[in-house]
Amino acid sequence: MRHSAAVWDYRAATEITKDWNGINQFLLRNPQGASARVSLHGGQVTSWRNEHGEELLFTSSKAIFKPPKAMRGGIPICFPQFGNCGSLEQHGFARNKIWTVDDNPPPLHPNDSHGISFVDLLLKPSEEDQKGWPHSFEFRLRVSLTTDGDLILISRVRNINGKPFSFSFAYHTYLSVSDISEVRIEGLETLDYLDNLCQRERFTEQGDAITFESESLIMKKSGHML
Ligand SMILES: O=P(O)(O)OC[C@H]1O[C@@H](O)[C@H](O)[C@@H](O)[C@@H]1O
């Protein structure tokens, strides 16, 4: 029987290193050997490994690892705009910014505090950001790894001056799959989507599961991108 959770020190389980551009990144570990790595560049999770050390996230061999270009891999955060559905740069500016560590985040709901190893990050808009998107916000991101090796991302956006604004948001997750023909995505039946490979024509999903036989690039109206 394992008693590791009772004595597990989540701070000791978090190691700070530098990413490929010298920007701080955090390595989260659980007692079973699973890990996750998250960079202050974009608040982007760049690696998630299971207890066998297998990488679960994909990073393109063509990824550019240099700001201000976001890296194509891991989990880029799209905010305050998804895709090119607005006047901002593709997928918004959050993924291109240097986030800070949030030393004193407001408490999370107890149901959301499952992480055995975690880091809290914060993004506040710069003056430059506010020229392009004149809204006052704080974006808090908690990245946690559970005892079971699950990765949990919790995002909280706070309007700090009470003037209403709207935004779109997505975790642009690149999952690594060994055999795409084995993948099924369920639960999207009846949703409308825009097909990027058909000039963003709108269709309604009919099937109870999506499978992949060829290149596919569809954007669900609710914000999911496949
Ligand atoms: O190429 P970017 O800006 O990193 O965005 C990643 C991808 O985002 C998707 O939403 C687009 O449909 C793709 O065309 C794009 O490659």
Side-chain angles (χ1 to χ4, degrees):
M1 194 201 270
R2 288 188 173 157
H3 294 287
S4 50
V7 294
W8 185 253
D9 176 352
Y10 82 90
R11 285 191 190 276
T14 307
E15 188 186 319
I16 304 177
T17 57
K18 299 282 181 194
D19 74 5
W20 45 88
N21 290 305
I23 295 164
N24 277 358
Q25 63 178 2
F26 299 81
L27 182 66
L28 313 177
R29 287 203 195 90
N30 82 356
Q32 282 70 38
S35 67
R37 203 172 55 213
V38 51
S39 173
L40 287 182
H41 178 195
Q44 189 161 340
V45 175
T46 55
S47 167
W48 173 30
R49 290 180 186 271
N50 63 18
E51 62 194 69
H52 307 296
E54 294 158 341
E55 180 59 59
L56 305 175
L57 298 177
F58 172 81
T59 297
S60 168
S61 57
K62 295 185 180 155
I64 297 167
F65 294 84
K66 196 127 193 83
K69 187 68 194 152
M71 198 261 285
R72 280 189 185 150
I75 312 181
I77 292 185
C78 306
F79 176 88
Q81 171 185 301
F82 180 70
N84 53 9
C85 313
S87 57
L88 296 177
E89 65 207 80
Q90 158 110 328
H91 295 320
F93 49 74
R95 64 181 182 152
N96 297 321
K97 298 292 169 191
I98 304 301
W99 294 46
T100 57
V101 176
D102 191 3
D103 286 322
N104 196 16
L108 284 162
H109 188 278
N111 287 350
D112 287 332
S113 305
H114 300 301
I116 192 161
S117 174
F118 58 85
V119 63
D120 286 291
L121 303 184
L122 175 62
L123 178 68
K124 293 183 184 180
S126 64
E127 279 181 20
E128 199 55 37
D129 299 333
Q130 288 191 308
K131 282 185 198 155
W133 202 68
H135 304 296
S136 298
F137 70 90
E138 290 173 344
F139 188 131
R140 292 196 155 76
L141 172 70
R142 172 170 290 197
V143 180
S144 5
L145 194 64
T146 69
T147 317
D148 293 335
D150 293 342
L151 179 69
I152 301 180
L153 272 65
I154 297 173
S155 287
R156 296 181 285 175
V157 177
R158 182 168 165 231
N159 179 338
I160 57 170
N161 71 3
K163 290 192 193 146
F165 61 81
S166 57
F167 60 87
S168 53
F169 160 83
Y171 297 129
H172 198 301
T173 309
Y174 290 80
L175 290 170
S176 187
V177 293
S178 49
D179 184 354
I180 190 72
S181 66
E182 298 270 321
V183 173
R184 286 169 60 86
I185 300 180
E186 299 176 357
L188 300 177
E189 198 173 354
T190 73
L191 286 180
D192 282 0
Y193 65 90
L194 310 177
D195 190 331
N196 271 9
L197 296 181
C198 291
Q199 291 75 48
R200 303 187 71 173
E201 197 178 334
R202 181 181 301 267
F203 297 95
T204 302
E205 183 56 47
Q206 310 286 351
D208 58 351
I210 293 181
T211 54
F212 301 89
E213 277 146 31
S214 61
E215 186 184 9
S216 168
L217 188 49
I218 61 177
M219 195 157 56
K220 290 289 170 191
K221 197 169 169 250
S222 61
H224 306 285
M225 205 268 313
L226 301 173

